[in-house]
């Protein structure tokens, strides 16, 4: 059951960018299990997105897949159009799409910097622009950052700079939507066991991250999905905030 007492429509609809990825997939599943119709966005892996959609539909849920580059305004406008045409509107937009390339500042490849900024900053702006125009009253916009904006780990400077921009956009958009009863927040996960996080890390590095939190484990995509579900439903008094879902990481 959807827990949002401020619900204004019989069918609540969510668009999840990066919905075929690790955290995105967990969020899609959590929303579908709680009665949302879900649009599963993918960048290149249409097969995986369609598989997720088929799983939801087989369980009696409502879902579609939508594809495209989040930084392409025309493409994302068409994606939002598709969701509205299929389900009648959009209540929640969750922007998990992002890439992470690690490098020291001294050795940074500026081509990698451009690639990451295109998705993480430009893409967030494009999605936020469409969401600000289309999300229905009582809805929510949820962006994604990282807890490394606070922990300041070496080799994360380029990635953190892109996510700090996301946090700033989020806080400003929350104020720009004054009077529309739409919340805008950012979730900043700590170390979470996803392909994006695990890629290129040896066992010792992963073990060190696991021990860094008081809970002495990595987060799971489901941990992050729980936070997102709360913000998308009953967390109506949380607005313009960065929520650190990181198990107590300092």
């Amino acid at each position: 059951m959807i827990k949002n007492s401020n619900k204004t429509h019989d069918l609540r609809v969510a668009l999840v960018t990066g919905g075929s990825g690790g955290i995105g997939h967990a969020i899609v599943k959590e929303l579908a299990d709680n009665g949302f119709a879900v649009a599963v966005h993918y960048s290149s892996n249409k097969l995986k997105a369609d598989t997720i959609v088929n799983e939801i539909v087989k369980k009696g849920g409502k879902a579609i897949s939508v594809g495209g580059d989040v930084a392409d305004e025309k493409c994302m406008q068409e994606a939002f159009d598709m969701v509205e045409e299929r389900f009648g509107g959009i209540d929640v937009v969750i922007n998990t799409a992002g890439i992470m390339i690690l490098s020291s500042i001294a050795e940074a490849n500026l081509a990698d910097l451009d690639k990451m900024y295109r998705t993480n900053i430009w893409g967030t702006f494009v999605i936020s622009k469409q969401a600000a125009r289309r999300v229905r009253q009582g809805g929510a916009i949820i962006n994604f950052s990282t807890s490394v904006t606070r922990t300041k780990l070496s080799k994360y400077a380029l990635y953190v700079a892109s996510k700090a921009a996301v946090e700033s956009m989020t806080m400003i958009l929350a104020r720009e939507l004054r009077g529309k009863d739409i919340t805008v927040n950012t979730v900043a996960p700590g170390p979470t066991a996803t392909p994006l996080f695990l890629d290129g890390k040896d066992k010792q590095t992963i073990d060190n991250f696991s021990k860094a939190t008081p809970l002495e484990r990595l987060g799971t995509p489901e941990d992050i999905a729980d936070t997102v579900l709360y913000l998308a439903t009953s967390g109506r008094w949380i607005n313009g905030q960065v929520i650190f879902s990181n198990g107590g990481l300092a």
Side-chain angles (χ1 to χ4, degrees):
M1 292 292 292
I2 294 175
K3 305 168 187 174
N4 183 10
S5 60
N6 202 32
K7 179 170 70 75
T8 57
H9 308 279
D10 290 335
L11 179 65
R12 297 268 290 172
V13 180
L15 167 61
V16 183
T17 72
S20 62
I23 289 176
H25 184 186
I27 290 169
V28 165
K29 184 177 183 300
E30 187 81 4
L31 292 170
D33 287 347
N34 280 269
F36 277 84
V38 185
V40 183
H41 165 269
Y42 62 91
S43 175
S44 58
N45 198 338
K46 184 178 189 301
L47 177 60
K48 184 172 182 181
D50 286 343
T51 299
I52 294 168
V53 166
N54 290 337
E55 290 171 354
I56 292 170
V57 171
K58 284 180 181 178
K59 292 172 63 177
K62 298 180 184 296
I64 60 170
S65 64
V66 293
D69 178 2
V70 290
D72 184 325
E73 185 170 18
K74 183 176 184 297
C75 185
M76 287 303 98
Q77 183 174 340
E78 292 172 352
F80 273 76
D81 287 344
M82 187 182 303
V83 179
E84 289 181 330
E85 288 168 6
R86 178 63 178 272
F87 295 125
I90 301 175
D91 300 287
V92 178
V93 172
I94 302 158
N95 187 30
T96 76
I99 60 175
M100 179 172 63
I101 302 171
L102 302 184
S103 169
S104 67
I105 293 173
E107 298 175 352
N109 182 320
L110 295 184
D112 286 343
L113 181 65
D114 282 343
K115 180 180 179 181
M116 188 161 49
Y117 280 24
R118 174 176 170 78
T119 298
N120 295 359
I121 298 178
W122 192 274
T124 298
F125 192 91
V126 167
I127 296 300
S128 294
K129 179 178 178 180
Q130 291 298 320
R133 295 178 173 188
R134 302 195 192 220
V135 168
R136 296 188 287 204
Q137 181 180 4
I141 301 168
I142 302 166
N143 289 319
F144 265 73
S145 180
T146 171
S147 288
V148 189
T149 56
R150 302 302 187 269
T151 58
K152 303 175 180 66
L153 296 176
S154 297
K155 297 188 177 182
Y156 280 78
L158 309 184
Y159 179 64
V160 164
S162 73
K163 291 303 187 177
V166 170
E167 292 182 12
S168 295
M169 274 191 276
T170 295
M171 289 182 274
I172 291 172
L173 182 57
R175 286 150 181 79
E176 290 180 347
L177 294 182
R178 173 183 289 273
K180 295 189 176 182
D181 192 25
I182 296 170
T183 61
V184 189
N185 293 288
T186 287
V187 174
T192 305
T194 67
L196 179 68
F197 173 79
L198 296 174
D199 184 42
K201 294 182 176 69
D202 59 27
K203 184 178 184 302
Q204 183 62 51
T205 300
I206 293 170
D207 287 345
N208 289 341
F209 273 109
S210 298
K211 295 172 184 175
T213 73
L215 298 180
E216 296 189 336
R217 67 174 177 85
L218 293 180
T220 67
E222 290 73 25
D223 290 326
I224 312 305
D226 286 343
T227 301
V228 169
L229 179 65
Y230 178 73
L231 292 174
T233 55
S234 49
R236 298 303 303 168
W237 194 233
I238 300 173
N239 191 27
Q241 304 299 316
V242 180
I243 308 299
F244 292 93
S245 183
N246 62 20
L249 188 68

